């Protein structure tokens, strides 16, 4: 069985050479006589793995010294609660709702204080990014929250919102390491790794040090305090050790590929191939306003549910898997993360052309 082209939104495709390397080291990591999967997180060997992963990530993203990198568990969804618990000193925060995950984060924050929806694109099924240049952000808001790339709906903030001096918090789960980023624009930039970086089970939180305090909301669990993990260098308890090891390999792979500016170029090329086809196709249509299109997640439809289902089925038989759109929007979605080779997108487009001619 040869490998398929996996367009899954997450857990998603990983670089083949990373998988091969991990396979080679599965039984014996660098002469230790054991797998990283069975290694103590307190061992000298593992300490080297996690420290090197962090150093490589800092180099890739050019992370300033006054930011901590935390490797945590619980996925992005657990951060929906951790963020207000740690940051809502005035019990108020502004949320920009551009998709299902931002909406869930907004709803969760309402459990801890006043979550104010300052902008939303729900009126048009989240198919665009609202203008965020002059929002009515409450003076006493503790932070402004966005989901920067919307996995389900295929939109992306091309310009960060004007937060009017407030701390910006961004969930970047589905655009993590896809392009260069200025970390100093954010108070917290975080994401689950299972889309662009590694296996499910790790969430990376990059947080400015002044936001890490003892002063959390009453009742905040020890495990949800950023200070707990920052003070212990992400080793307060057993971390998702094997997942972090794979992330470390992916960081090295990205460095080898030329870093984040090379990644951005590679991703723009792939996305252009698919979007150019969608723009001229008489059968398939993209669902997102052009200027807000994501480089990572490309939703599209035929306008006919039966035809959509037929396409997904025939595509799968031809080796293009996980193209079914999210259950909330239907249609199709191709997630073309860093590890998706350009030829995967070219072959998908060739298949789509053939399908259009035959139907």
């Amino acid at each position: 069985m040869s490998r398929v082209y996996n367009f899954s939104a997450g857990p998603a495709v990983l670089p083949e050479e990373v998988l091969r390397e991990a396979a080679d080291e599965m039984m014996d990591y660098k002469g230790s006589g054991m797998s990283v999967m069975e290694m103590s997180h307190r061992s000298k060997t593992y300490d080297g793995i996690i420290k090197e992963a962090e150093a490589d990530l800092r180099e890739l993203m050019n992370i300033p010294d006054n930011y901590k990198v935390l490797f945590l568990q619980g996925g992005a969804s657990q951060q929906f609660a951790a963020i207000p618990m740690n940051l809502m000193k005035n019990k108020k925060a502004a949320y920009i709702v551009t998709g299902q995950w931002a909406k869930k984060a907004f709803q969760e924050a309402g459990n801890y204080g006043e979550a104010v929806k300052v902008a939303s694109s729900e009126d048009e099924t989240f198919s665009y990014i609202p203008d965020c240049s002059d929002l009515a952000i409450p003076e006493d808001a503790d932070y402004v929250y966005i989901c920067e790339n919307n996995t389900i709906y295929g939109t992306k903030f091309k310009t960060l919102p004007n937060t009017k001096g407030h701390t910006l918090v961004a969930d970047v789960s589905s655009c993590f390491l896809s392009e260069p980023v200025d970390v100093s624009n954010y108070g917290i930039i975080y994401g689950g790794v299972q889309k662009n970086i590694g296996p499910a089970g790790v969430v990376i939180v990059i947080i400015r040090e002044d936001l890490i305090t003892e002063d959390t909301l009453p009742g905040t669990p020890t495990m949800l305090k950023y200070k707990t993990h920052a003070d212990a260098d992400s080793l307060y308890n057993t971390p998702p050790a094997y997942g972090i090891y794979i992330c470390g390999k992916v960081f090295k792979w990205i460095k080898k590929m030329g870093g984040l500016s090379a990644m951005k170029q590679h991703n723009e090329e792939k996305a252009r191939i698919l979007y150019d086809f969608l723009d001229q196709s008489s059968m398939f249509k993209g669902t997102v306003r052009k200027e807000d299109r994501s480089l990572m997640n490309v939703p599209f439809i035929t306008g006919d549910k039966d035809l959509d289902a037929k396409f997904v089925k025939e595509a799968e038989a031809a080796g293009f898997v996980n193209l079914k759109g999210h259950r909330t929007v239907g249609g199709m979605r191709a997630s073309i993360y860093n590890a998706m080779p350009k030829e995967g997108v070219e072959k998908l487009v060739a298949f789509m052309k053939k399908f259009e001619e035959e139907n």
Side-chain angles (χ1 to χ4, degrees), residues 287-323:
T287 57
V288 172
R289 189 166 74 181
K290 273 187 184 178
E291 56 269 35
D292 299 325
R293 286 169 165 176
S294 165
L295 294 179
M296 299 282 100
N297 312 99
V298 184
F300 56 96
I301 53 171
T302 64
D304 175 337
K305 279 194 168 64
D306 295 338
L307 199 55
D308 286 353
K310 184 180 186 210
F311 173 79
V312 170
K313 192 178 170 190
E314 289 184 13
E316 184 152 341
F320 306 100
V321 305
N322 294 315
L323 281 166

Side-chain angles (χ1 to χ4, degrees), residues 12-27:
V13 59
L14 284 167
E16 272 190 34
E17 65 181 79
V18 167
L19 296 175
R20 286 186 215 286
E21 223 175 85
D24 287 345
E25 294 173 347
M26 180 52 91
M27 300 300 286

Side-chain angles (χ1 to χ4, degrees), residues 118-138:
V118 292
S120 170
S121 53
E122 196 162 9
D123 60 337
E124 291 180 31
T125 328
F126 300 123
S127 59
Y128 69 101
I129 298 288
D131 176 3
C132 298
S133 57
D134 186 19
L135 300 172
I137 297 166

Side-chain angles (χ1 to χ4, degrees), residues 86-116:
N86 284 269
L87 266 54
M88 255 195 191
K89 317 290 186 206
N90 300 326
K91 292 286 189 80
K92 192 179 286 184
Y95 278 72
I96 297 168
V97 179
T98 51
Q100 193 164 316
W101 304 113
K103 188 177 178 178
K104 285 186 171 174
F106 164 71
Q107 288 166 337
E108 188 78 31
N111 294 328
Y112 303 101
E114 189 189 343
V116 183

Side-chain angles (χ1 to χ4, degrees), residues 83-352:
I83 288 158
M85 284 175 164
N86 284 269
L87 266 54
M88 255 195 191
K89 317 290 186 206
N90 300 326
K91 292 286 189 80
K92 192 179 286 184
Y95 278 72
I96 297 168
V97 179
T98 51
Q100 193 164 316
W101 304 113
K103 188 177 178 178
K104 285 186 171 174
F106 164 71
Q107 288 166 337
E108 188 78 31
N111 294 328
Y112 303 101
E114 189 189 343
V116 183
K117 194 190 291 184
V118 292
S120 170
S121 53
E122 196 162 9
D123 60 337
E124 291 180 31
T125 328
F126 300 123
S127 59
Y128 69 101
I129 298 288
D131 176 3
C132 298
S133 57
D134 186 19
L135 300 172
I137 297 166
E139 268 300 294
D140 57 347
D142 291 298
Y143 58 88
V144 176
Y145 182 100
I146 62 170
C147 179
E148 198 162 315
N149 186 87
N150 296 285
T151 324
I152 294 173
Y153 302 96
T155 57
K156 164 83 164 70
F157 279 83
K158 303 291 166 78
T159 311
L160 292 177
N162 173 4
T163 65
K164 302 188 172 172
H166 295 83
T167 296
L168 179 64
V169 175
D171 172 356
V172 296
S173 295
S174 54
C175 60
F176 224 150
L177 300 185
S178 63
E179 58 182 22
V181 56
D182 182 353
V183 174
S184 65
N185 287 328
Y186 307 82
I188 295 179
I189 180 168
Y190 81 94
V193 304
Q194 71 278 8
K195 299 168 185 298
N196 226 1
I197 304 175
V202 185
V203 61
I204 297 173
V205 175
I206 301 163
I207 177 170
R208 209 173 58 224
E209 285 174 350
D210 61 289
L211 299 173
I212 304 171
T213 64
E214 286 286 9
D215 176 26
T216 54
L217 294 187
T220 299
T222 303
M223 280 297 286
L224 291 190
K225 291 178 181 173
Y226 292 128
K227 192 163 171 35
T228 302
H229 300 287
D231 288 353
D233 294 328
S234 302
L235 293 167
Y236 173 76
N237 68 326
T238 310
Y242 193 80
I244 294 166
Y245 151 79
I246 300 288
C247 292
K249 289 199 176 299
V250 173
F251 300 154
K252 290 214 181 297
W253 175 77
I254 295 173
K255 279 170 70 174
K256 196 171 122 186
M257 296 284 282
L260 297 189
S261 42
M263 257 318 148
K264 183 181 190 194
Q265 203 182 332
H266 164 68
N267 290 326
E268 283 175 340
E269 275 173 28
K270 286 187 301 188
R272 194 176 303 120
I273 294 165
L274 187 46
Y275 285 125
D276 283 354
F277 170 71
L278 289 172
D279 288 343
Q280 60 82 45
S281 167
S282 53
M283 177 183 280
F284 298 101
K285 298 271 171 289
T287 57
V288 172
R289 189 166 74 181
K290 273 187 184 178
E291 56 269 35
D292 299 325
R293 286 169 165 176
S294 165
L295 294 179
M296 299 282 100
N297 312 99
V298 184
F300 56 96
I301 53 171
T302 64
D304 175 337
K305 279 194 168 64
D306 295 338
L307 199 55
D308 286 353
K310 184 180 186 210
F311 173 79
V312 170
K313 192 178 170 190
E314 289 184 13
E316 184 152 341
F320 306 100
V321 305
N322 294 315
L323 281 166
K324 190 172 191 258
H326 191 272
R327 61 183 182 277
T328 56
V329 281
M332 283 72 67
R333 171 183 51 178
S335 292
I336 49 176
Y337 299 122
N338 287 350
M340 171 57 67
K342 186 171 152 189
E343 71 167 32
V345 182
E346 288 168 341
K347 287 182 175 172
L348 173 65
V349 166
F351 176 80
M352 289 167 78

